[in-house]
């Protein structure tokens, strides 16, 4: 597979997801959102490539990375094709044409190349340490999430006067209902933080309230799922706002993925 074939595979995968949503089927989106939780460091395109080649993939890495982790790719296993950026330097045939004051960056450009990764099921070797899973209790993740909120200069308050709402985002300030169970508090805080990051006050006015709420709920699903909490509402809700436009779907999923990835990078301990 070359990069042109990869782009075609990505487009076809997005079309299949688009068609599934248009038919009211949430299973495909649930699978995708769960995959974001596992592979939040990968681009939308590479995530779709991984799922197209191995839908049951759980953890992928390159040959040398697995070797460093004490695991080895099984004989005969075929790598999963993804694309990676590569910085190239322009060739200068005549040395007299070189501007000695120019930096290397002035003479470089980005190209994409094929690389291969392998799922953990394609390897043997030392068992990997299992990441801490919340299993219904976010444990230390909530405190790290609150620290991230503070780093973003967002005030966090608790109130008993929110009416039927569990949380509220009001442009630089998040208010949560007092007394929520730990898992619910975590999920609601992620939801309101997603609003702060995705829909800051005064911007993105072209989006409806329903679209904004659904994007925030999808981010909460991804982050909650990534730390082991049970969250199953976002995918079904997403169908309510989807209108069959593949480009709009891709843009929305990219926003969800980027925001969830930013939060997970901040709250997940380094391995």
């Amino acid at each position: 597979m070359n990069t042109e074939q990869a782009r075609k595979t990505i487009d076809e995968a997005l079309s299949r997801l688009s068609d599934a949503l248009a038919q009211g089927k949430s299973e495909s989106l649930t699978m995708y959102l769960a995959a974001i939780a596992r592979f939040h460091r990968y681009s939308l395109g590479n995530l779709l490539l991984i799922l197209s080649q191995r839908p049951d993939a759980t953890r992928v890495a390159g040959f040398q990375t697995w070797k460093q982790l004490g695991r080895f790719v099984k004989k005969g296993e075929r790598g999963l094709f993804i694309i990676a950026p590569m910085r190239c330097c322009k060739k200068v045939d005549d040395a007299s044409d070189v501007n000695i004051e120019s930096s290397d960056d002035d003479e470089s450009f980005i190209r994409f190349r094929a690389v291969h990764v392998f799922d953990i099921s394609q390897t043997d070797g030392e068992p990997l340490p299992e990441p801490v899973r919340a299993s219904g209790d976010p444990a230390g993740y909530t405190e790290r999430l609150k620290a991230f909120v503070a780093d973003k200069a967002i005030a966090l308050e608790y109130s008993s006067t929110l009416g039927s709402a569990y949380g509220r985002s009001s442009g630089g300030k998040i208010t949560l209902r007092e007394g929520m169970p730990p898992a619910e508090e975590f999920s609601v805080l992620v939801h309101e933080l997603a609003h702060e990051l995705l829909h800051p006050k005064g911007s993105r006015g072209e989006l409806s309230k329903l679209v904004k709420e659904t994007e925030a709920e999808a981010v909460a699903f991804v982050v909650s799922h990534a730390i082991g909490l049970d969250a199953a509402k976002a995918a079904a809700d997403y169908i309510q706002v989807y209108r069959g436009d593949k480009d709009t779907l891709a843009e929305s999923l990219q926003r969800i993925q980027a925001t969830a990835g930013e939060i997970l990078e901040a709250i997940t301990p380094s391995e």
Side-chain angles (χ1 to χ4, degrees):
M1 185 184 293
N2 56 34
T3 54
E4 186 61 35
Q5 291 171 321
R7 292 189 178 93
K8 182 179 179 181
T9 299
I10 292 168
D11 190 65
E12 290 173 349
L14 192 57
S15 293
R16 287 195 297 271
L17 177 57
S18 175
D19 292 343
L21 289 181
Q23 294 169 25
K25 299 177 180 177
S26 63
E27 296 86 355
S28 296
L29 184 65
T30 300
M31 181 185 74
Y32 177 77
L33 293 177
I36 293 178
R38 298 194 302 273
F39 304 118
H40 62 271
R41 293 182 176 89
Y42 287 83
S43 68
L44 170 65
N46 278 334
L47 179 56
L48 290 170
L49 281 174
I50 291 169
L51 293 180
S52 295
Q53 297 167 87
R54 201 173 189 95
D56 59 347
T58 58
R59 182 170 181 175
V60 299
F63 185 91
Q64 291 300 325
T65 298
W66 282 127
K67 190 174 179 180
Q68 292 168 9
L69 292 170
R71 296 186 67 86
F72 302 89
V73 175
K74 298 174 185 176
K75 186 176 180 180
E77 289 288 349
R78 297 181 62 182
L80 308 178
F81 180 99
I82 64 173
I83 53 178
M86 176 179 63
R87 184 173 292 280
C88 302
C89 293
K90 293 180 181 178
K91 292 182 179 179
V92 181
D93 295 329
D94 186 347
S96 62
D97 290 336
V98 176
N99 181 354
I100 61 173
E101 296 182 356
S102 296
S103 68
D104 290 341
D105 288 340
D106 293 332
E107 297 296 326
S108 65
F109 56 97
I110 299 295
R111 276 187 177 169
F112 290 88
R113 63 187 178 93
V115 298
H116 290 88
V117 294
F118 298 85
D119 183 55
I120 188 171
S121 63
Q122 298 176 279
T123 67
D124 278 324
E126 295 295 323
L128 298 179
E130 286 294 324
V132 176
R133 291 298 181 188
S135 299
D137 181 358
Y141 286 102
T142 298
E143 293 309 312
R144 288 191 287 271
L145 181 61
K146 290 179 180 178
F148 181 59
V149 169
D151 286 343
K152 289 291 184 180
I154 300 170
L156 174 60
E157 297 180 358
Y158 289 81
S159 173
S160 59
T161 60
L162 287 179
S164 61
Y166 290 91
R168 181 176 297 149
S169 164
S170 50
K173 177 182 173 182
I174 292 173
T175 307
L176 300 182
R177 177 189 287 188
E178 290 180 343
M180 285 188 289
E184 191 169 32
E185 178 188 4
F186 178 87
S187 180
V188 173
L189 180 53
V190 175
H191 178 108
E192 300 305 334
L193 175 59
H195 277 309
E196 292 288 323
L197 299 176
L198 277 170
H199 318 123
K201 192 173 182 179
S203 68
R204 305 195 48 143
E206 74 280 4
L207 294 181
S208 70
K209 182 177 184 345
L210 183 57
V211 169
K212 292 177 182 178
E213 287 298 321
T214 305
E215 287 187 345
E217 189 63 17
V219 171
F221 172 96
V222 170
V223 175
S224 297
H225 187 85
I227 70 162
L229 297 179
D230 182 20
K233 186 170 178 286
D237 283 355
Y238 205 93
I239 292 176
Q240 298 178 29
V241 300
Y242 177 65
R243 295 293 180 267
D245 184 334
K246 186 178 69 176
D247 292 335
T248 300
L249 172 65
E251 291 171 5
S252 182
L253 290 176
Q254 284 173 335
R255 290 193 295 269
I256 291 166
Q257 183 179 27
T259 305
E262 181 182 2
I263 296 171
L264 285 169
E265 286 288 334
I267 69 172
T268 305
S270 300
E271 296 182 359

